[in-house]
């Protein structure tokens, strides 16, 4: 069977488009965090956005390696258009990552393996693992943001100012860096 007649063909094209859009949506959340003074939240979300772009690149490379010179591919899929507060948008990201990591990419991997595309199946499987990890990060960030505990911990941890490097070990980050006077939004976020 020709590659462009397989389910894997359609799944790979949809996945490329989805990862491109996820990367951009996360850039918008990062920008919102930055405008509200959460520099390190911005940085953490931008890192995930960069991961999504790498996934899109991998899917694009696999698609072109298997498909040759096809210039346009019709993609019929639903794509989320979320907006709201930082907390709401982090919640949307949790659900998006959950769907990709637990439902969509595992199913796409199974289909690719069944159709004999080991490299594509492996890429979907590995991407699903990353998306599940992204879900965990977004859950933590959403919950910590919601509970005002983004810069707090139940046990002492080391908080570091991302501007000047000043650090302290405590249960709560300094509100203003005692060295450079940066706001708490510049304190590196300690992920569990």
């Amino acid at each position: 069977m020709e590659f462009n007649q397989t389910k894997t063909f359609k799944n790979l094209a949809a996945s490329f488009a989805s990862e491109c859009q996820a990367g951009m949506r996360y850039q918008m959340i990062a920008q919102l965090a930055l405008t509200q003074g959460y520099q390190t939240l911005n940085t953490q979300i931008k890192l995930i956005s960069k991961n999504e772009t790498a996934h899109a690149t991998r899917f694009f490379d696999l698609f072109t390696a298997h498909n040759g010179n096809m210039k346009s591919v019709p993609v019929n899929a639903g794509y989320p258009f979320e907006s709201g507060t930082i907390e709401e948008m982090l919640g949307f990201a949790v659900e998006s990552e959950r769907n990709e990591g637990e439902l969509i990419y595992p199913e796409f991997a199974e289909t690719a393996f069944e159709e004999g595309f080991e490299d594509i199946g492996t890429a979907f499987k590995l991407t699903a693992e990353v998306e599940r990890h992204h879900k965990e990060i977004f859950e933590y960030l959403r919950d910590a943001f919601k509970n005002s505990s983004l810069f707090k911990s139940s046990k002492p941890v080391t908080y570091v100012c991302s501007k000047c490097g000043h650090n302290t070990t405590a249960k709560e980050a300094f509100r203003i860096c005692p060295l450079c006077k940066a706001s708490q939004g510049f304190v590196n976020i300690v992920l569990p």
Side-chain angles (χ1 to χ4, degrees):
M1 182 183 301
E2 296 279 331
F3 180 66
N4 65 4
Q5 301 299 314
T6 66
K7 287 182 183 179
T8 299
F9 168 85
K10 293 174 186 166
N11 292 346
L12 201 52
S15 297
F16 167 73
S18 177
E19 293 296 314
C20 288
Q21 290 189 3
M24 181 49 70
R25 283 194 314 274
Y26 298 158
Q27 286 287 335
M28 290 187 287
I29 300 170
Q31 184 60 40
L32 181 59
L34 185 61
T35 61
Q36 293 185 20
Y38 295 98
Q39 173 66 39
T40 55
L41 180 59
N42 165 278
T43 300
Q44 183 62 53
I45 296 168
K46 279 175 129 177
L47 177 61
I48 295 173
S49 175
K50 184 178 174 181
N51 296 162
E52 301 299 337
T53 302
H55 301 166
T57 301
R58 179 66 177 135
F59 293 152
F60 181 86
D61 290 346
L62 285 165
F63 190 88
T64 57
H66 284 273
N67 198 46
N69 294 323
M70 181 167 270
K71 301 293 183 199
S72 178
V73 178
V75 176
N76 184 13
Y79 298 102
F81 283 84
E82 303 107 356
S83 65
T85 65
I86 292 173
E87 180 185 328
E88 290 168 335
M89 292 177 78
L90 289 171
F92 295 138
V94 168
E95 291 310 310
S96 178
E97 298 297 312
R98 179 187 331 273
N99 287 336
E100 288 177 347
E102 296 175 8
L103 303 172
I104 297 168
Y105 290 148
E107 179 183 320
F108 286 3
E110 185 177 326
T111 299
F113 288 130
E114 288 172 0
E115 291 182 335
F117 301 106
E118 295 292 318
D119 55 341
I120 297 171
T122 299
F124 280 135
K125 181 180 174 201
L126 294 173
T127 303
E129 292 173 12
V130 174
E131 304 299 17
R132 288 190 296 271
H133 181 65
H134 285 170
K135 176 196 69 99
E136 292 170 3
I137 293 170
F138 278 130
E139 279 178 326
Y140 172 78
L141 294 174
R142 179 204 56 204
D143 295 346
F145 194 84
K146 178 181 180 179
N147 300 327
S148 299
S149 62
L150 200 55
F151 302 105
K152 296 179 183 176
S153 178
S154 60
K155 61 183 182 214
V157 296
T158 301
Y159 291 101
V160 179
C161 176
S162 66
K163 269 188 127 173
C164 72
H166 172 75
N167 68 80
T168 188
T169 300
K171 289 185 177 182
E172 185 172 344
F174 39 86
R175 295 213 179 269
I176 302 292
C177 177
L179 178 57
C180 72
K181 306 301 181 196
S183 70
Q184 193 175 56
F186 283 87
V187 173
N188 287 333
I189 296 170
V190 180
L191 297 174

